[in-house]
Amino acid sequence: MAEGLRERKKRETRQRISDIATGLFLEHGFVTVTMAEVAEAADVSVNTVYNYFPAKEDLFFDRSEGVVDQLARWVRGRDAGESAAHAVLRELRADIEAVSPRMGLMEGYDRFMRVIHDSPPLRSRLWSLQQEIQDNLEAALREETGAAPDDPLPGLVAGQICWIHSTVFVTIGREMMKGRAPAEVSREVLGLVDDVEELLSDKVLGYAVRG
């Protein structure tokens, strides 16, 4: 369905507020910038900012909606004969090899990570997002395998797969904060993914194979 004029304007306004806020956070830090300052810079009312972003953390992690269900989507879209873990490993390798900005493999990502590092509220929100990712993945695994509600295995496997995901992102963030080139970090992290795969048990690697 084609996007209506009203919806397009709302989307553009939301994006403009988010982009301006991100610039302010990168320049001045997350804690010191207020919602009122964001509203003034975006030439909108404070209420308008809150209508789009209920909390300041939502402004910083404005693209998190597509992230929290990413692993679940990768698992649901796995190939025939492919397990949940192998689907995630395949997708991660593809993005890392492509030096994708989605992985943080881009110039300027170090500034983004420093803002998070210097802000306890953002670190707390990041932890919350990671928990949402794991919860969504566990739900997908239960659905895909038909596991009983009291079966602990989907939750245990989800934890292992999320460990892969978080290890990759933490490593990329740490190395990019050193000012290294994205392509160089990409090559090293591909090796890390191989090492991580070797540490996983056959039970994890063989769980939820699509028939």
Side-chain angles (χ1 to χ4, degrees):
M1 185 179 296
E3 182 182 38
L5 178 61
R6 179 180 175 83
E7 288 73 20
R8 178 173 62 81
K9 286 188 174 181
K10 288 175 65 176
R11 175 176 56 79
E12 290 174 348
T13 298
R14 185 185 190 281
Q15 189 61 58
R16 184 167 58 84
I17 293 171
S18 171
D19 290 344
I20 289 171
T22 298
L24 291 172
F25 295 147
L26 291 177
E27 183 176 357
H28 303 292
F30 179 79
V31 175
T32 58
V33 175
T34 67
M35 294 290 262
E37 289 170 334
V38 171
E40 182 179 1
D43 196 24
V44 296
S45 69
V46 175
N47 285 340
T48 297
V49 176
Y50 276 111
N51 284 340
Y52 287 104
F53 303 97
K56 195 165 66 165
E57 291 82 357
D58 298 321
L59 271 168
F60 191 84
F61 291 115
D62 65 307
R63 292 172 177 82
S64 64
E65 185 175 340
V67 174
V68 294
D69 65 346
Q70 185 179 60
L71 297 188
R73 284 189 282 106
W74 285 351
V75 166
R76 289 193 172 99
R78 68 197 184 283
D79 296 332
E82 188 175 44
S83 71
H86 277 129
V88 171
L89 286 164
R90 172 175 54 79
E91 294 282 1
L92 283 174
R93 282 191 176 100
D95 276 351
I96 295 166
E97 191 170 6
V99 195
S100 171
R102 290 193 300 269
M103 302 299 297
L105 294 166
M106 61 181 181
E107 300 294 339
Y109 189 67
D110 57 319
R111 296 177 64 200
F112 182 85
M113 290 304 299
R114 284 192 180 92
V115 173
I116 296 176
H117 184 269
D118 294 338
S119 171
L122 289 180
R123 294 201 302 271
S124 177
R125 174 59 68 89
L126 186 59
W127 181 90
S128 178
L129 290 173
Q130 291 168 339
Q131 189 60 51
E132 284 187 61
I133 292 171
Q134 184 166 331
D135 290 345
N136 285 339
L137 178 58
E138 179 180 347
L141 289 174
R142 289 190 181 279
E143 180 183 324
E144 293 291 304
T145 62
D150 60 347
D151 185 350
L153 198 52
L156 295 174
V157 173
Q160 290 289 293
I161 293 175
C162 285
W163 167 69
I164 303 170
H165 185 252
S166 64
T167 297
V168 166
F169 271 93
V170 167
T171 301
I172 289 174
R174 183 182 64 240
E175 295 306 310
M176 292 302 295
M177 284 181 70
K178 296 177 182 177
R180 300 181 63 193
E184 182 183 5
V185 175
S186 169
R187 289 191 296 272
E188 288 190 7
V189 175
L190 281 172
L192 172 68
V193 173
D194 291 340
D195 293 339
V196 165
E197 183 173 3
E198 290 182 2
L199 293 174
L200 297 173
S201 70
D202 291 340
K203 191 166 189 176
V204 172
L205 290 173
Y207 187 74
V209 174
R210 168 151 286 164

